[in-house]
Amino acid sequence: MPEPVELPSSRTVPKKERRPSLVWIVPVVAALAGAWVAVTRVLAEGPTITIDFRSAEGLEAGKTKVRYNGVDVGTMTAIRLSDDHLGVVATVRMEPKTESFLVADTRFWVVRPRISGANISGLGTLISGAYVRMDIGQARDEQRAFVGLETPPIVMRDVPGRSFVLKTSDLGSLDSGTPVFYRRLQVGEVVGYELDPDGSGLTVKAFVQAPYDRYVTSATRFWHASGLDVSMSATGFSVQTQSLMSILIGGIAFETPVAEAALPPAGENTSFLLHRDRAEAFRAPERNPLEVRLVFKQSVRGLAAGAPVEFRGIQVGQVVEVGAEVDVKTLAISVPVKIHLEGARFGVRFTDLDPGDDPTAIRRRLWDSLIAHGVRAQLRSGSLLTGALFVAFDVFPDAAPASIDWNAKPLDFPTVPGALEGLEASLASIVRKIDQLPLQAIGDDVAKALVQLDQTLSSARGALDSAGKLVAPSSPLATELTTTLQEVTRAARAIRVLGDYLERHPEALLRGKSGEAR
């Protein structure tokens, strides 16, 4: 039996410890360095935003900068058309630590050369190229997509002051950037305007810089200060304007009555009425005017609402409406003019007025007395250049008697024709009288008289011819007349010599001329 083969036994061999090769150190270090660089770059970059503009004119990706107060805070990296192809979308890479700038009310606009009224801006971009300017908002909500402004804002948010709302029916020459004056000092600007939703007026927004905004109170009056305000008084012509700039581009002025200057400053966006001029702004509002209708039978061309109503040069009211009426029964056309009489509004004061007196009763007695004494309304010319008319109450002693029916609605006050119309009536009366004269008979008589005069002249001419023949130089009668005249001349000379002699020797009348001989 063979001996069993001893099989080899296994033994545990310890695993050799393998160390990484030094070759791998290089890529690991490179990877770590790359990751560090990537993280550092990501951390070093600012946020990315998009701005929608209507046009990319002047903008260039990679070059156009975004600036705030002259400092570059971002770079435009890409520009593309918007999805609706109506504008462009600019992508801007902002600088680090600008996240707090990008809030909901932050504004962006493109700075280009612009001329608007008296404002000329962006001339530096003719050389440097256009750039995007930023105005940091004050909201807390962060935002990354913005809509750029088409025009630069008039006032930056960091300028202290307050904005006010002005209501007007006529924009006139106002525009964004129009100056606002206080005592002829420019203290603000018009920042915008818009038509009211119902189209009945306009809303103008004006900004007044600090510290001048404290002079705007609830009693402040705003008015148009555009152009020239020319008036004529007993002292001559008066021309009022705020500045040369207001003449060229218009303006707004404000002022607070002295009696109400102690009121606290008005709040932000307080609404005011923008008046047509300073006189209207400081005119007291209507309280209880007497509404009167005046019917004129003449042309009212040149008379408009707002025209003054005066009594002997003192304004006591104003024209409210000018219309026309047709009486369907008589087919007569009249021109009623509605006026408001309120003398107290224009500075007319009642003296010796007791507290218990009724102003309405006093006013009725006053007008009853005036009408009874011949006071009538008349249209008069206010300007020969413009042809503007106004209503004047004056005394006309020869006017027909009239009275006021206080129960009638509306009240009718008596009128008289205007001065020009009165002159026309007088001329027409003269013409009518001339037409009534027997001009044909007078002409026939004159013709007959002329014939007789011609015959008389012919006879006279014959007599003169005969007389001329008698006194001709060669006729005997002329010779006799010449001789007679010579004798008369000699006699007159002798009388004159005799007179001179007697004046020197009056005794010759008694003694004779013999003394003269001695």
Side-chain angles (χ1 to χ4, degrees), residues 33-47 93-94 96:
W36 172 257
V37 171
V39 171
T40 303
R41 182 174 182 181
V42 170
L43 294 177
E45 289 183 347
R93 174 71 69 183
M94 299 295 293

Side-chain angles (χ1 to χ4, degrees), residues 325-334:
E325 290 182 355
V326 178
D327 189 341
V328 295
K329 295 181 179 178
T330 62
L331 298 181
I333 301 176
S334 60

Side-chain angles (χ1 to χ4, degrees), residues 162 164 208 212-218 220 222 254 264-266 272:
R162 281 175 293 171
F164 301 99
V208 179
Y212 309 105
D213 58 339
R214 63 180 176 176
Y215 301 119
V216 180
T217 69
S218 58
T220 298
F222 287 82
F254 71 87
F272 296 90

